[in-house]
Amino acid sequence: MTQIHDLSALELAAAYRAGETSPLEATEHYLRRIEAHTAALGAFVTVTGQPAVDAARVATETLAHARDLGEPLPPLYGVPTAIKDLNATAGVRTTFGSAALADYVPAVSDEVVLRMERAGMISLGKTNTPEFGSPCYTEPDPSIAPPARSPYDPSRSAGGSSGGAAAAVAGRLLPIAQGSDGGGSIRIPASVPGLVGFKPSRGRIS
């Protein structure tokens, strides 16, 4: 029997439109998996459970309305995701993997975050990253989060610097996650647990 966490992001979006599941059901499912597994994988720094559930309720109602009226919605509308902890998120702690910013809460979000929100994606929190995204492994200050680990062998690193995102997707805590890449920070952690990681050309995404 196929479960929600077995579906890709596109398959999940298709299941919404077919009325087989909903953003609320998917979000609650993934939040339960995050609670059960993220400590072992070091995938998340911050989980935004209640805001995600609130957003999922709205998305569920919007999808039902759009289905009834035949109105189009963005292709990943209502799909759960997460934001790398190097990207500012308004009202949500953003540590950059550093103890110096352990309590920093930005007033505004980065443009990439705003674009994901406009696309209707639902963030479940902030994924782990090394301090300021510098190394190719994800080991932030220990006061922030444990190292990100491969779900296939938790004794091994998930790579970096988007290691939390990779651990979350490979561990089926999310169907898709945002990362960032200057010198391999999406490509390295994608290759470690066998994921597809996409680094867009410079200038395509601000």
Side-chain angles (χ1 to χ4, degrees):
M1 178 181 172
T2 301
Q3 298 193 60
I4 287 173
H5 61 262
D6 294 322
L7 302 175
S8 71
L10 289 173
E11 289 169 340
L12 184 57
Y16 292 164
R17 283 160 175 77
E20 296 168 356
T21 186
S22 70
L24 180 58
E25 184 179 10
T27 295
E28 290 178 338
H29 178 86
Y30 277 114
L31 286 171
R32 287 192 296 270
R33 288 188 61 80
I34 289 167
E35 184 178 8
H37 299 292
T38 199
L41 299 181
F44 279 80
V45 173
T46 300
V47 177
T48 52
Q50 191 57 54
V53 168
D54 293 343
R57 284 200 181 96
V58 173
T60 296
E61 293 172 2
T62 301
L63 271 162
H65 182 72
R67 217 169 29 239
D68 292 341
L69 298 180
E71 294 176 347
L73 286 171
L76 295 180
Y77 188 87
V79 172
T81 189
I83 309 298
K84 185 176 177 180
D85 207 29
L86 292 186
N87 286 101
T89 42
V92 178
R93 184 174 72 132
T94 302
T95 73
F96 299 89
S98 174
L101 294 167
D103 299 316
Y104 173 58
V105 178
V108 297
S109 294
D110 286 347
E111 176 63 21
V112 67
V113 176
L114 296 175
R115 291 189 186 197
M116 293 169 71
E117 291 173 353
R118 289 197 294 269
M121 301 186 79
I122 298 169
S123 175
L124 306 191
K126 306 298 292 288
T127 54
N128 201 358
T129 185
E131 189 167 25
F132 303 117
S134 296
C136 59
Y137 48 86
T138 299
E139 297 182 13
D141 186 281
S143 67
I144 300 299
R149 297 296 184 188
S150 168
Y152 300 109
D153 182 354
S155 72
R156 297 179 182 271
S157 171
S161 64
S162 303
V169 174
R172 299 184 182 185
L173 311 184
L174 291 171
I176 189 170
Q178 175 263 348
S180 56
D181 185 323
S185 291
I186 287 174
R187 293 162 289 168
I188 293 167
S191 70
V192 171
L195 301 173
V196 173
F198 174 63
K199 177 186 178 179
S201 301
R202 288 191 178 276
R204 186 171 180 84
I205 297 177
S206 70

